Coordinates of all heavy atoms in Angstrom, one line a residue:
Chain A
R45 N 7.9 -7.7 -1.3 CA 6.6 -7.2 -1.2 C 6.4 -6.3 0.0 O 7.0 -6.5 1.0 CB 5.6 -8.3 -1.2 CG 5.6 -9.1 0.1 CD 4.2 -9.7 0.4 NE 4.2 -10.4 1.7 CZ 4.2 -11.7 1.8 NH1 4.1 -12.5 0.7 NH2 4.2 -12.3 3.0
D48 N 1.1 -5.4 1.2 CA 0.2 -6.1 2.2 C 0.4 -5.5 3.6 O -0.5 -5.3 4.4 CB 0.5 -7.6 2.2 CG 2.0 -7.9 2.4 OD1 2.8 -7.1 2.1 OD2 2.3 -9.0 2.9
V49 N 1.7 -5.2 4.0 CA 2.0 -4.6 5.3 C 1.4 -3.2 5.5 O 0.8 -2.9 6.5 CB 3.5 -4.6 5.6 CG1 3.7 -4.4 7.1 CG2 4.1 -5.9 5.2
V50 N 1.6 -2.4 4.4 CA 1.2 -1.0 4.5 C -0.4 -1.0 4.6 O -0.9 -0.1 5.3 CB 1.6 -0.2 3.2 CG1 0.9 1.1 3.1 CG2 3.1 -0.1 3.2
G52 N -2.1 -3.3 6.1 CA -2.4 -4.1 7.3 C -3.1 -5.4 7.0 O -3.9 -5.9 7.8
E54 N -1.2 -8.2 6.1 CA -0.1 -9.1 6.0 C -0.4 -10.5 6.6 O 0.1 -11.5 6.1 CB 1.2 -8.5 6.6 CG 1.2 -8.4 8.1 CD 0.4 -7.2 8.7 OE1 -0.1 -6.4 7.8 OE2 0.3 -7.1 9.9
S55 N -1.2 -10.5 7.6 CA -1.5 -11.8 8.3 C -2.4 -12.7 7.5 O -2.7 -13.8 7.9 CB -2.0 -11.6 9.7 OG -3.3 -11.1 9.6
R56 N -3.0 -12.2 6.4 CA -3.9 -13.0 5.7 C -3.4 -13.5 4.3 O -4.2 -14.1 3.6 CB -5.2 -12.2 5.5 CG -5.9 -12.0 6.9 CD -6.9 -10.9 6.9 NE -7.9 -11.2 5.9 CZ -8.7 -10.2 5.4 NH1 -8.7 -9.0 5.9 NH2 -9.6 -10.5 4.4
V57 N -2.1 -13.3 4.1 CA -1.6 -13.7 2.8 C -1.3 -15.2 2.9 O -0.6 -15.7 3.7 CB -0.2 -13.0 2.5 CG1 0.4 -13.6 1.3 CG2 -0.4 -11.5 2.4
V58 N -2.0 -16.0 2.0 CA -1.7 -17.4 1.8 C -1.1 -17.7 0.4 O -0.1 -18.3 0.3 CB -3.0 -18.2 2.0 CG1 -2.7 -19.7 1.9 CG2 -3.6 -18.0 3.4
F59 N -1.8 -17.2 -0.6 CA -1.4 -17.3 -1.9 C -1.0 -16.0 -2.5 O -1.4 -14.9 -1.9 CB -2.4 -18.0 -2.8 CG -2.8 -19.4 -2.4 CD1 -4.0 -19.7 -1.8 CD2 -1.9 -20.4 -2.6 CE1 -4.3 -21.0 -1.3 CE2 -2.2 -21.7 -2.2 CZ -3.4 -22.0 -1.5
R80 N -12.3 -3.5 6.1 CA -12.7 -2.2 6.6 C -13.4 -1.4 5.5 O -14.3 -0.6 5.8 CB -11.4 -1.4 7.0 CG -10.7 -2.0 8.1 CD -9.2 -1.6 8.1 NE -8.6 -2.0 6.9 CZ -7.3 -2.0 6.7 NH1 -6.5 -1.6 7.7 NH2 -6.7 -2.3 5.6
Q91 N 6.9 -13.2 -1.7 CA 8.1 -12.7 -0.9 C 9.3 -13.6 -1.2 O 10.4 -13.1 -1.0 CB 7.7 -12.7 0.6 CG 8.8 -12.3 1.5 CD 9.0 -10.8 1.4 OE1 8.2 -10.0 0.9 NE2 10.1 -10.3 2.0
T92 N 9.1 -14.8 -1.7 CA 10.2 -15.7 -1.7 C 10.7 -16.0 -3.2 O 11.8 -16.5 -3.3 CB 9.7 -17.1 -1.2 OG1 8.5 -17.5 -1.8 CG2 9.5 -17.0 0.3
V213 N 2.0 7.4 11.2 CA 1.1 6.7 12.2 C 0.2 5.7 11.5 O 0.0 4.6 11.9 CB 0.3 7.7 13.0 CG1 -0.6 7.0 14.0 CG2 1.2 8.7 13.8
S214 N -0.4 6.1 10.4 CA -1.3 5.3 9.7 C -0.6 4.1 9.1 O -1.2 2.9 9.1 CB -2.2 6.0 8.6 OG -1.5 6.1 7.4
T215 N 0.6 4.2 8.6 CA 1.4 3.1 8.1 C 1.8 2.2 9.3 O 1.7 1.0 9.1 CB 2.6 3.6 7.4 OG1 2.2 4.6 6.4 CG2 3.3 2.4 6.6
N216 N 2.1 2.8 10.4 CA 2.5 1.9 11.6 C 1.4 0.9 11.9 O 1.7 -0.2 12.2 CB 2.7 2.8 12.8 CG 4.0 3.6 12.8 OD1 4.9 3.3 11.9 ND2 4.3 4.4 13.7
V217 N 0.2 1.4 11.9 CA -0.9 0.5 12.3 C -1.6 -0.2 11.1 O -2.5 -1.0 11.3 CB -2.0 1.3 13.1 CG1 -1.4 1.8 14.4 CG2 -2.6 2.4 12.3
G218 N -1.1 0.1 9.9 CA -1.6 -0.6 8.8 C -3.0 -0.2 8.4 O -3.8 -1.0 8.0
E219 N -3.3 1.1 8.5 CA -4.6 1.5 8.1 C -4.5 2.7 7.2 O -4.0 3.8 7.6 CB -5.4 2.0 9.4 CG -6.8 2.2 9.1 CD -7.7 2.1 10.4 OE1 -8.0 1.0 10.8 OE2 -7.9 3.1 11.1
P220 N -4.9 2.6 5.9 CA -4.7 3.7 5.0 C -5.2 5.0 5.5 O -6.3 5.1 6.2 CB -5.6 3.2 3.8 CG -5.6 1.7 3.9 CD -5.6 1.4 5.3
L223 N -8.8 6.6 5.5 CA -9.8 6.2 6.3 C -10.0 7.1 7.6 O -10.9 7.0 8.4 CB -9.6 4.7 6.8 CG -9.5 3.7 5.6 CD1 -9.4 2.3 6.2 CD2 -10.7 3.8 4.7
G224 N -9.0 7.9 7.8 CA -9.0 8.8 8.9 C -9.0 10.3 8.5 O -9.4 10.6 7.4
Chain B
M1 N -12.4 1.4 14.6 CA -11.5 2.1 13.7 C -10.7 3.2 14.4 O -11.4 3.9 15.2 CB -12.2 2.6 12.5 CG -11.4 2.6 11.3 SD -12.3 3.1 9.8 CE -13.1 1.6 9.4
F2 N -9.5 3.3 14.2 CA -8.6 4.3 14.8 C -8.6 4.3 16.3 O -8.6 5.3 17.0 CB -9.1 5.7 14.3 CG -8.6 6.0 13.0 CD1 -9.3 5.7 11.9 CD2 -7.3 6.6 12.8 CE1 -8.8 5.9 10.6 CE2 -6.8 6.8 11.5 CZ -7.5 6.5 10.4
S3 N -8.6 3.1 16.8 CA -8.6 2.9 18.3 C -7.2 3.3 18.8 O -7.0 3.6 20.0 CB -8.9 1.4 18.6 OG -8.0 0.6 17.9
W4 N -6.2 3.3 17.9 CA -4.8 3.6 18.3 C -4.7 5.1 18.7 O -3.7 5.4 19.3 CB -3.9 3.3 17.2 CG -4.3 3.7 15.8 CD1 -5.0 3.0 14.9 CD2 -4.1 5.0 15.2 NE1 -5.2 3.7 13.8 CE2 -4.7 4.9 13.9 CE3 -3.4 6.2 15.6 CZ2 -4.7 6.0 13.1 CZ3 -3.4 7.2 14.8 CH2 -4.0 7.2 13.5
M5 N -5.7 5.9 18.3 CA -5.5 7.3 18.6 C -5.6 7.5 20.1 O -5.0 8.5 20.6 CB -6.6 8.1 17.9 CG -6.3 8.2 16.5 SD -7.4 9.3 15.6 CE -6.3 10.7 15.3
R9 N 0.5 3.5 21.7 CA 1.3 4.3 20.7 C 1.5 3.5 19.4 O 1.6 2.3 19.5 CB 2.6 4.7 21.2 CG 2.5 5.9 22.3 CD 3.8 6.2 22.9 NE 4.4 5.0 23.5 CZ 5.6 4.9 23.9 NH1 6.5 5.8 23.7 NH2 6.1 3.8 24.5
S10 N 1.4 4.1 18.3 CA 1.4 3.4 17.0 C 2.7 2.6 16.8 O 2.7 1.6 16.1 CB 1.1 4.3 15.9 OG 2.3 5.1 15.5
K11 N 3.8 3.1 17.4 CA 5.0 2.4 17.1 C 5.0 1.0 17.8 O 5.7 0.1 17.3 CB 6.3 3.2 17.5 CG 6.6 3.1 19.0 CD 8.0 3.3 19.2 CE 8.3 2.8 20.6 NZ 9.6 3.1 21.1
T13 N 2.4 -0.9 17.9 CA 1.7 -1.8 17.0 C 2.6 -2.1 15.8 O 2.7 -3.3 15.4 CB 0.5 -1.0 16.4 OG1 -0.3 -0.5 17.5 CG2 -0.4 -1.9 15.6
L14 N 3.4 -1.1 15.3 CA 4.3 -1.4 14.2 C 5.3 -2.5 14.6 O 5.6 -3.4 13.8 CB 5.0 -0.1 13.8 CG 6.1 -0.3 12.7 CD1 5.4 -0.7 11.4 CD2 6.9 1.0 12.5
K15 N 5.8 -2.3 15.8 CA 6.9 -3.3 16.2 C 6.3 -4.7 16.3 O 7.0 -5.6 15.7 CB 7.4 -2.9 17.6 CG 8.8 -3.3 17.9 CD 9.3 -2.7 19.2 CE 10.5 -3.6 19.6 NZ 10.8 -3.3 21.0
R17 N 3.8 -5.9 14.6 CA 3.5 -6.3 13.2 C 4.8 -6.7 12.5 O 4.9 -7.7 11.8 CB 2.8 -5.2 12.4 CG 1.4 -4.9 13.0 CD 0.8 -3.7 12.2 NE 0.6 -4.0 10.8 CZ 0.9 -3.1 9.8 NH1 1.3 -1.9 10.1 NH2 0.7 -3.5 8.6
L18 N 5.8 -5.9 12.7 CA 7.1 -6.2 12.0 C 7.7 -7.4 12.5 O 8.2 -8.2 11.7 CB 8.1 -5.0 12.2 CG 7.9 -3.8 11.2 CD1 8.8 -2.7 11.6 CD2 8.1 -4.2 9.8
L20 N 6.3 -10.1 13.6 CA 5.5 -11.2 13.1 C 5.8 -11.4 11.6 O 6.1 -12.5 11.1 CB 4.0 -10.9 13.3 CG 3.2 -12.2 13.4 CD1 3.6 -13.0 14.5 CD2 1.7 -11.8 13.6
V21 N 5.8 -10.2 10.9 CA 6.1 -10.3 9.4 C 7.5 -10.9 9.1 O 7.6 -11.7 8.3 CB 5.9 -8.9 8.8 CG1 6.5 -8.8 7.4 CG2 4.4 -8.5 8.7
Y24 N 7.7 -14.6 9.7 CA 7.2 -15.4 8.5 C 8.1 -15.3 7.3 O 8.3 -16.3 6.6 CB 5.8 -14.8 8.1 CG 4.7 -15.0 9.1 CD1 3.9 -14.0 9.5 CD2 4.5 -16.3 9.6 CE1 2.8 -14.2 10.4 CE2 3.4 -16.6 10.5 CZ 2.6 -15.5 10.9 OH 1.6 -15.7 11.8
D25 N 8.7 -14.1 7.1 CA 9.6 -13.9 5.9 C 10.8 -14.9 6.1 O 11.2 -15.5 5.1 CB 10.1 -12.5 5.9 CG 9.0 -11.6 5.3 OD1 8.0 -12.0 4.9 OD2 9.3 -10.3 5.3
K28 N 10.0 -18.3 5.5 CA 9.4 -18.5 4.2 C 8.1 -19.3 4.2 O 7.9 -20.2 3.4 CB 10.4 -19.3 3.3 CG 11.7 -18.5 3.0 CD 12.5 -19.2 2.0 CE 13.7 -18.3 1.5 NZ 14.7 -18.0 2.5
I29 N 7.2 -18.9 5.1 CA 5.9 -19.5 5.1 C 4.8 -18.3 5.0 O 5.0 -17.3 5.5 CB 5.6 -20.2 6.4 CG1 6.1 -19.5 7.6 CG2 6.1 -21.6 6.4 CD1 5.7 -20.0 9.0
P30 N 3.8 -18.6 4.2 CA 2.7 -17.6 4.1 C 2.0 -17.4 5.4 O 1.5 -18.4 6.0 CB 1.8 -18.1 3.0 CG 2.2 -19.5 2.8 CD 3.5 -19.8 3.5
P31 N 1.9 -16.2 5.9 CA 1.3 -16.0 7.2 C -0.2 -16.4 7.3 O -0.6 -16.9 8.4 CB 1.3 -14.4 7.4 CG 1.8 -13.9 6.1 CD 2.4 -15.0 5.4
G32 N -0.9 -16.3 6.2 CA -2.3 -16.8 6.2 C -2.4 -18.3 6.5 O -3.4 -18.7 7.1
K33 N -1.5 -19.0 6.0 CA -1.5 -20.5 6.3 C -1.3 -20.8 7.8 O -2.0 -21.7 8.3 CB -0.4 -21.1 5.5 CG -0.8 -22.5 4.8 CD 0.2 -22.9 3.8 CE -0.5 -23.3 2.5 NZ 0.4 -23.6 1.4
E35 N -2.1 -18.8 10.1 CA -3.3 -18.3 10.8 C -4.4 -19.4 10.7 O -5.1 -19.7 11.7 CB -3.8 -17.0 10.0 CG -4.7 -16.2 10.8 CD -4.0 -15.5 12.0 OE1 -2.8 -15.4 12.0 OE2 -4.8 -15.1 12.9

Side-chain angles (χ1 to χ4, degrees):
Chain A
R45 70 150 183 252
D48 56 333
V49 194
V50 170
E54 71 281 357
S55 68
R56 293 168 51 200
V57 176
V58 180
F59 297 109
R80 299 156 301 195
Q91 180 72 12
T92 50
V213 177
S214 83
T215 308
N216 283 356
V217 296
E219 192 157 277
L223 303 184
Chain B
M1 209 175 278
F2 282 89
S3 52
W4 44 269
M5 285 187 110
R9 286 174 304 165
S10 77
K11 80 149 197 190
T13 309
L14 176 66
K15 210 173 157 195
R17 293 175 63 222
L18 278 176
L20 207 60
V21 163
Y24 290 130
D25 285 353
K28 294 191 170 63
I29 40 171
K33 219 166 229 174
E35 200 68 21

